[in-house]
Amino acid sequence: MQALKGKVSLITGAGNGIGRGIALRFAAEGAMVGVLDIQPDACQRVVEEITQADGQAVALPADVTRADDVRAAVRTLTERFGSPTVLVHNAALMPSGTLDQTSEDVWDRAFAVNVKGAYLTSREVVPLMRRAGGGSIILMASITGTNGLPGLAAYSATKGALIALARAMAIDYARDGIRVNAVSPGTIDSPMLHTFVAAQKDPEETRRAFDEVQPRGRVGTIEEVVNVFVFLASDQASFVSGANYAVDGGASIKGDQPRL
Ligand SMILES: NC(=O)c1ccc[n+]([C@@H]2O[C@H](COP(=O)([O-])OP(=O)(O)OC[C@H]3O[C@@H](n4cnc5c(N)ncnc54)[C@H](O)[C@@H]3O)[C@@H](O)[C@H]2O)c1
């Protein structure tokens, strides 16, 4: 049985990496997917992948920091498939640096994409979900939002904000039947990790260190993260709201992380 049959879903940052994985799997589970990304070509590629597999999707090239873009994307999705009852805000930037190494522009842009993007997309879909009698909003956080990671000050701060926002929205919209949860992956084998590793002085050693410090002796896979999103978007999670799901193989318990 398909877990998300007939659910209209909006996924931000769906052109690459984990967001792409969520979009492909949601479509395979029967959802109609709005593939939103700032990279139009990436949006189009993912939509083609979905339609070739007999799924339903629409490309929504948009910048999540721009209210007009977000409004237009939600309008296009609604005209095509109906009002969204699932929102995944996954788009993010991950600037590295301690606080004093982070410029004001980099700080502002990280908060604009990671946090304001959640605000703008949620602001558009909440009234639609309320009218539909409910929905599921899932904010992509990170282990850094609770634990912090060395050299990721702005990123960690944005992810902590998303966890707090999920809890605040969960309470505010509980009576509307809108569930809001955060998901906090640990280190995942993904393009974001590959880019980060490639930028280090010794990429091979950095990659080895990432695996070495994990309780499981390895980083997670995109599919392992996607599984949790499918659950939270589905009716199986009908009483789950305000949670922050760690998908980190126990890394947040173990505590020690590589100094990069
Ligand atoms: N990869 C990991 O190890 C890891 C771990 C924990 C959390 N996460 C989180 O998972 C999410 C996805 O990570 P990923 O590794 O797939 O990253 P990624 O960089 O591969 O994908 C992010 C996507 O967001 C899009 N995007 C960036 N700015 C945008 C904007 N202004 N408007 C619309 N789209 C925009 C990018 O074009 C890209 O397609 C992020 O929220 C990240 O913080 C990743």
Side-chain angles (χ1 to χ4, degrees), residues 74-139:
V74 172
R75 198 181 313 120
T76 304
L77 176 62
T78 303
E79 281 167 7
R80 180 74 184 273
F81 294 127
S83 301
T85 53
V86 177
L87 165 66
V88 172
H89 177 56
N90 159 84
L93 299 179
M94 187 181 75
S96 35
T98 59
L99 182 132
D100 61 302
Q101 292 164 343
T102 305
S103 72
E104 208 174 326
D105 285 351
V106 166
W107 180 273
D108 285 347
R109 187 67 189 160
F111 268 83
V113 176
N114 303 9
V115 185
K116 189 178 177 191
Y119 159 67
L120 289 177
T121 50
S122 300
R123 192 178 68 164
E124 288 304 316
V125 303
V126 160
L128 303 175
M129 289 181 176
R130 190 181 279 133
R131 223 171 297 145
S136 172
I137 297 176
I138 313 168
L139 305 182

Side-chain angles (χ1 to χ4, degrees), residues 164-229:
L165 179 61
R167 293 167 66 86
M169 287 167 66
I171 289 296
D172 286 341
Y173 302 132
R175 291 289 171 119
D176 296 307
I178 301 172
R179 300 181 292 102
V180 189
N181 293 285
V183 176
S184 288
T187 309
I188 304 301
D189 195 352
S190 61
M192 188 182 261
L193 176 67
H194 302 163
T195 308
F196 183 80
V197 165
Q200 304 308 306
K201 261 187 253 129
D202 187 344
E204 232 168 77
E205 173 54 25
T206 305
R207 179 54 219 254
R208 203 194 53 73
F210 265 118
D211 281 329
E212 184 93 336
V213 295
Q214 304 303 318
R216 296 282 302 272
R218 66 165 179 86
V219 300
T221 66
I222 289 179
E223 207 50 37
E224 287 172 319
V225 177
V226 170
N227 288 336
V228 178
F229 279 81

Side-chain angles (χ1 to χ4, degrees), residues 139-165:
L139 305 182
M140 177 66 95
S142 158
I143 189 176
T144 61
T146 45
N147 284 40
L149 265 190
L152 286 172
Y155 180 74
S156 301
T158 65
K159 295 301 184 176
L162 287 168
I163 294 165
L165 179 61

